[in-house]
């Protein structure tokens, strides 16, 4: 255990001196913060307009031949009759304000939902949701690179020749990647908190409280579920990198499978009815179900469609054990050659 | 070489019937050898003779097909192999490091994952291989010579008792080769054992105390370089009548053979019998006009013991 802990520490020493993990983290932050700021701008747009009404450019138009223009409700409230043509009767103003009130009542819910999306703790749910999808792609690249590069550079030999041991070496790699994923999600969480505080400072709160805000426990659960959903895919990409002894192959297979599963799943599901049952046990579908987010590779198949959390967790545990087992067994049995370029 | 308190030669590595097959290809066949503590031991053989595979098996990088090993007197298996490896340093084939780390950080990393004595040791090793001035440059900016020297520094991490250096002078210029040879001689002092694997005969002869010669995946011979070459020492001579001298020498029972090299007669006799040679010839009316000792080089010895069918793959290396 001490050896593994030491290896994790020194793997991190090595990893943090590379550009790759920081670039990947940059992408992760970029995409996750989009959740906060797109929500912020949508909310502001909705709020500032406050609804619109059609106003005629002439006071009396019995034959309806006059021109109409759109006036925002907020302008109508601010400018009052100045926003209307001269000599407009007070009834027109009353009628337009009534229309605005009606719109405001419908918007209240939308505004509240939008506000919850970029304020804490709802913003964390949105950020982790995106991170669960993008993070899987980025972790595929990182895992394949972390394991495959030792084959490519020929550094596997000097590492193992130090008496490191094959099992501790591979365990150390996997644990370091899990720790890196945990750290990256932590950074996403921290930056999201910061973003939310800034956004809340700028934005005005919506009138009234129409919906129930997310609970902090939901955010914590999203964090844990997102991180846990990374584990089987780290095992999968790691296994491919070990079997092929190549970072490039690890990335190619990892990314291809990510997108191919939903396409092939949909195709085969359409052709064979029995495949829908098999499909419930496929890797990415279960990862989506566990993460509770929306994954690009799912082709719009929202999480947890018909796979329960318990089933997803069980299936992914089996996947993780099986994939890690294959990787370890293969790694222990094989001879270690020099650099493969 | 070091001995135990009982005066017995201490064996640091013992290999018994070690064999490695890659499918139908035989990489090493029934190799058995012993390496005693202290000094520089040469593992000599042409490319493809099984040197690197043998080192790979000792280091646990290559799984033997059959055979056994003892390291520092202990049978090698699983955990004991790992603990034994912590007493071993090795540079196998070309040095391999992380290009995005500096030389210092590479050593710190390998020190961290193995047995090491802190940053001071890294500084000392960088000094030893004359890399202190470039210690903080990225590895990918190093010249071939600097990479080789960093590889030697890596092999010395943790002050190992047994050091394997596989072709350490590959790609070095003549001055670099001389420096590395000098360094290897120094490393082999103070009870440490250095196993130098090389296909450069001159290099091995210059540096090693003992040698094992591998050819076509088998061990041909093993022993102290001095003893092996002494077996082949002799004399060469010119006489007043070369043809008659050759005939006379050929009739002597204690001369196992006579050959002509560069106009000299080279009888196969130990040098201490040169007096008997001149006496035998003069008794037949043939007189020696010139006589000098012949010292065989390791290269010549190698060619003789390997039946010189592998000569085309051998190079003499840089004689410096």
């Amino acid at each position: 255990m001490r050896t593994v802990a030491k290896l994790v520490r020194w793997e991190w020493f090595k990893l943090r001196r590379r550009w790759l993990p920081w670039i990947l983290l940059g992408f992760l932050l970029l995409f996750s913060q989009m959740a906060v700021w797109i929500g912020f701008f949508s909310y502001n747009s909705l709020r500032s307009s406050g609804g619109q009404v059609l106003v005629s450019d002439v006071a009396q138009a019995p034959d309806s031949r006059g021109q109409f223009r759109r006036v925002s409700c907020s302008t109508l409230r601010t400018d009052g009759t100045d926003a209307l043509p001269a000599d407009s009767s007070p009834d027109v103003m009353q009628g337009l304000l009534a229309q605005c009130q009606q719109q405001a009542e419908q918007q209240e819910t939308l505004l509240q939902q939008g506000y919850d999306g970029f304020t804490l703790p709802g913003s964390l749910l949105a950020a982790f949701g995106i991170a669960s999808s993008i993070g899987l792609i980025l972790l595929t690249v990182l895992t394949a690179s972390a394991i495959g590069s030792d084959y490519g550079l020929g550094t596997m030999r000097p590492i193992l020749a130090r008496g490191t041991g094959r099992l501790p070496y591979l365990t150390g790699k996997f644990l370091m990647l899990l720790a890196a994923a945990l750290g990256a999600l932590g950074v996403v969480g921290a930056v999201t908190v910061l973003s939310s505080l800034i956004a809340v400072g700028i934005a005005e709160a919506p009138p009234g409280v129409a919906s129930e805000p997310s609970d902090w426990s939901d955010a914590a659960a999203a964090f844990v579920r997102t991180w846990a959903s990374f584990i089987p895919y780290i095992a999968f990409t790691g296994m491919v990198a070990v079997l092929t002894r190549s970072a490039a192959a690890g990335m190619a297979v990892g990314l291809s499978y990510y997108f191919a599963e939903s396409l092939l799943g949909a195709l085969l599901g359409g052709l064979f009815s029995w495949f829908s049952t098999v499909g419930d046990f496929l890797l990415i579908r279960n990862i989506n179900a566990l993460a509770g987010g929306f994954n690009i590779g799912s082709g719009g198949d929202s999480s947890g469609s018909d796979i329960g959390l318990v089933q997803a967790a069980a299936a992914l545990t089996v996947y993780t054990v099986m994939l890690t087992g294959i990787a370890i067994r293969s790694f222990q049995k094989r001879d270690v050659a020099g650099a493969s370029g | 070489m070091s001995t135990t308190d009982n005066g017995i030669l201490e064996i640091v590595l013992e290999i018994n019937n070690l064999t490695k097959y890659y499918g139908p290809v035989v990489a090493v066949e029934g190799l058995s050898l012993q390496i005693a503590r202290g000094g520089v031991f040469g593992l000599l053989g042409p490319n493809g003779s099984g040197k690197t595979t043998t080192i790979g098996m000792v280091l646990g990088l290559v799984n033997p097909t059959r055979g056994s090993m003892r390291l520092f007197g202990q049978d090698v298996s699983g955990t004991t192999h790992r603990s034994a490896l912590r007493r071993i340093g090795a540079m196998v084939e070309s040095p391999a490091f992380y290009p995005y780390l500096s030389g210092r950080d590479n050593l710190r990393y390998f020190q961290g994952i193995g047995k090491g004595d802190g940053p001071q040791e890294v500084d000392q090793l960088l000094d030893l291989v004359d890399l202190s001035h470039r210690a903080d440059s990225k590895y990918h900016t190093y010249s071939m010579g600097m990479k080789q020297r960093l590889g030697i520094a890596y092999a010395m991490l943790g002050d190992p008792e047994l050091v394997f250096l596989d072709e350490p002078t590959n790609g070095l210029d003549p001055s670099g080769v001389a420096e590395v040879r000098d360094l290897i001689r120094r490393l082999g002092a103070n009870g440490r054992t250095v196993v130098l694997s090389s296909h450069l005969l001159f290099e091995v002869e210059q540096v090693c105390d003992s040698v094992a010669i591998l050819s076509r995946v088998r061990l041909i011979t093993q022993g102290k370089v001095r003893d092996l070459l002494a077996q082949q020492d002799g004399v060469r001579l010119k006489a007043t009548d070369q043809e008659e001298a050759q005939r006379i020498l050929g009739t002597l029972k204690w001369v196992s053979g006579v050959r002509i090299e560069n106009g000299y007669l080279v009888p196969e006799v130990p040098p201490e019998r040169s007096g008997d040679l001149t006496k035998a010839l003069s008794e037949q009316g043939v007189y020696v006009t010139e006589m000098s000792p012949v010292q065989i080089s390791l290269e010549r010895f190698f060619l003789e013991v390997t039946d010189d069918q592998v000569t085309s793959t051998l190079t003499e290396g840089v004689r410096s």
Side-chain angles (χ1 to χ4, degrees):
Chain A
M1 204 58 213
R2 234 180 94 202
T3 310
V4 174
K6 194 165 69 170
L7 284 167
V8 172
R9 184 193 153 203
W10 285 100
E11 274 301 315
W12 171 240
F13 170 88
K14 209 170 59 180
L15 188 72
R16 69 190 158 96
R17 283 164 168 77
R18 296 180 69 183
W19 282 106
L20 181 71
W22 303 113
I23 292 170
L24 297 179
L25 181 64
F27 274 115
L28 188 66
L29 287 175
L30 184 72
F31 282 100
S32 61
Q33 295 318 295
M34 275 167 62
V36 176
W37 291 104
I38 287 176
F40 169 79
F41 287 116
S42 303
Y43 167 81
N44 270 348
S45 166
L46 189 66
R47 193 174 198 288
S48 61
S49 68
Q52 289 177 329
V53 286
L54 291 174
V55 175
S56 170
D57 58 359
V58 289
Q60 302 295 328
D63 54 358
S64 300
R65 290 173 68 183
Q67 296 287 314
F68 288 88
R69 60 193 166 92
R70 287 182 180 277
V71 175
S72 72
C73 293
S74 54
T75 309
L76 206 61
R77 285 192 197 98
T78 319
D79 299 348
T81 49
D82 294 346
L84 301 177
D87 302 330
S88 294
S89 78
D91 292 345
V92 173
M93 185 65 185
Q94 287 296 322
L96 291 172
L97 285 174
Q99 281 182 47
C100 283
Q101 181 59 33
Q102 200 176 358
Q103 284 186 28
E105 280 168 14
Q106 290 167 350
Q107 279 183 340
E108 209 166 89
T109 313
L110 291 172
L111 279 172
Q112 188 62 51
Q113 284 173 351
Y115 190 74
D116 287 348
F118 70 86
T119 54
L120 294 168
S123 57
L124 287 170
L125 285 176
F128 291 141
I130 289 197
S132 71
S133 171
I134 298 297
L136 215 56
I137 295 172
L138 302 180
L139 263 177
T140 300
V141 174
L142 187 66
T143 304
S145 171
I147 295 174
S149 65
D150 275 333
Y151 285 109
L153 297 171
T155 42
M156 193 76 82
R157 279 205 303 214
I159 289 172
L160 297 179
R162 301 280 297 155
T164 310
R166 295 184 186 213
L167 182 60
Y169 165 81
L170 208 54
T171 310
K173 283 268 186 199
F174 280 128
L175 290 180
M176 188 277 298
L177 287 164
L178 290 177
L182 193 71
L185 282 180
V187 173
V188 166
V191 173
T192 304
V193 168
L194 197 65
S195 289
S196 292
L197 292 176
I198 294 169
V200 167
I202 301 168
E204 285 179 49
V209 179
S211 68
E212 250 181 58
S214 309
D215 199 276
W216 279 96
S217 62
D218 291 341
F223 178 88
V224 173
R225 285 170 65 170
T226 300
W227 178 72
S229 73
F230 290 154
I231 299 173
Y233 220 66
I234 288 176
F236 174 64
T237 313
M239 181 204 69
V240 175
V242 167
L243 291 181
T244 58
R245 305 177 210 202
S246 159
M251 285 180 211
V253 175
L255 293 176
S256 302
Y257 182 80
Y258 181 76
F259 292 103
E261 189 194 283
S262 62
L263 295 174
L264 286 175
L267 185 71
L268 293 171
L271 289 173
F272 311 106
S273 57
W274 54 263
F275 192 80
S276 59
T277 313
V278 176
D280 283 350
F281 293 94
L282 291 177
L283 184 58
I284 297 293
R285 282 203 72 189
N286 281 281
I287 285 176
N288 287 344
L290 182 68
F294 176 87
N295 266 343
I296 295 167
S298 65
D301 172 24
S302 189
S303 67
S305 50
D306 50 359
I307 303 174
L309 186 62
V310 176
Q311 183 193 319
L316 292 177
T317 304
V318 172
Y319 268 117
T320 304
V321 170
M322 193 178 69
L323 296 169
T324 313
I326 293 170
I328 288 172
R329 185 164 169 75
S330 165
F331 188 62
Q332 284 188 311
K333 286 193 77 172
R334 279 180 168 182
D335 296 329
V336 178
S340 56
Chain B
M1 286 182 195
S2 304
T3 54
T4 61
D5 294 341
N6 303 327
I8 300 165
L9 210 58
E10 192 183 346
I11 302 298
V12 288
L13 172 64
E14 188 179 347
I15 290 172
N16 293 308
N17 196 32
L18 206 60
T19 299
K20 177 64 185 178
Y21 295 154
Y22 290 107
V25 179
V26 183
V28 176
E29 178 76 71
L31 178 67
S32 297
L33 61 86
Q34 291 186 333
I35 298 177
R37 183 181 289 278
V40 183
F41 184 94
L43 207 52
L44 179 62
N47 295 331
S49 58
K51 305 184 299 291
T52 302
T53 306
T54 302
I55 294 174
M57 286 191 278
V58 174
L59 297 175
L61 304 174
V62 176
N63 300 308
T65 305
R66 63 169 174 267
S68 63
M69 280 179 285
R70 283 172 71 83
L71 274 165
F72 308 107
Q74 280 198 311
D75 283 327
V76 163
S77 69
T79 343
T80 58
H81 199 173
R82 269 174 54 197
S83 61
L85 285 176
R86 291 178 182 275
R87 298 163 70 182
I88 296 176
M91 185 183 81
V92 187
E93 281 187 315
S94 52
F97 293 100
Y98 296 99
Y100 50 86
L101 295 182
S102 66
R104 187 192 306 280
D105 280 348
N106 265 296
L107 289 186
R108 282 181 66 201
Y109 169 76
F110 284 108
Q111 182 194 48
I113 63 167
K115 178 186 146 198
D117 296 329
Q120 206 177 359
E121 184 196 25
V122 169
D123 290 340
Q124 284 168 354
L125 287 174
L126 287 166
D127 263 347
L128 179 78
V129 296
D130 196 22
L131 272 180
S132 296
H133 63 296
R134 291 291 304 276
D136 296 313
S137 302
K138 296 273 188 271
Y139 175 71
H140 69 82
T141 65
Y142 282 14
S143 68
M144 178 57 93
M146 292 163 79
K147 287 176 179 175
Q148 291 281 13
R149 295 210 299 272
L150 189 67
I152 294 172
Y154 154 80
M156 296 306 297
L157 281 169
D159 193 19
E161 296 165 54
L162 176 60
V163 181
F164 288 91
L165 298 175
D166 190 11
E167 310 281 6
T169 55
N170 262 4
L172 295 184
D173 57 26
S175 64
V177 170
E179 278 175 34
V180 169
R181 280 182 194 156
D182 182 52
L183 183 60
I184 292 168
R185 272 191 289 263
R186 279 187 280 141
L187 297 181
N190 305 323
R192 183 186 289 121
T193 313
V194 178
V195 178
L196 171 67
S197 161
S198 179
H199 65 277
L200 303 177
L201 301 154
F202 188 73
E203 178 172 280
V204 172
E205 187 176 353
Q206 290 271 301
V207 175
C208 298
D209 307 305
S210 304
V211 66
I213 297 177
L214 272 67
S215 176
R216 294 184 204 143
V217 307
R218 286 180 177 82
L219 178 70
I220 304 297
T221 187
Q222 181 188 356
K224 287 188 176 176
V225 175
R226 196 178 50 229
D227 295 346
L228 291 174
L229 297 183
Q231 290 169 13
Q232 305 292 320
D233 282 353
V235 291
R236 63 179 189 172
L237 58 91
K238 278 186 178 176
T240 48
D241 185 342
Q242 289 280 84
E243 281 183 21
E244 182 61 9
Q246 187 177 11
R247 189 193 62 76
I248 296 165
L249 292 174
T251 62
L252 299 173
K253 285 180 183 172
W254 43 274
V255 176
S256 37
V258 185
R259 64 178 189 275
I260 298 174
E261 272 183 14
N262 302 325
Y264 286 93
L265 288 172
V266 185
E268 289 176 20
V269 289
E272 56 270 21
R273 298 211 69 168
S274 51
D276 297 331
L277 280 176
T278 54
K279 188 182 170 196
L281 288 172
S282 61
E283 281 173 358
Q284 300 284 326
V286 178
Y287 299 97
V288 173
T289 57
E290 190 181 332
M291 180 180 268
S292 57
V294 173
Q295 283 189 320
I296 193 171
S297 67
L298 189 61
E299 180 186 356
R300 179 81 213 170
F301 176 75
F302 180 86
L303 297 179
E304 285 185 6
V305 296
T306 57
D307 204 17
D308 87 358
Q309 285 187 23
V310 286
T311 53
S312 59
T313 61
L314 288 168
T315 58
E316 269 204 29
V318 183
R319 292 171 187 273
S320 53

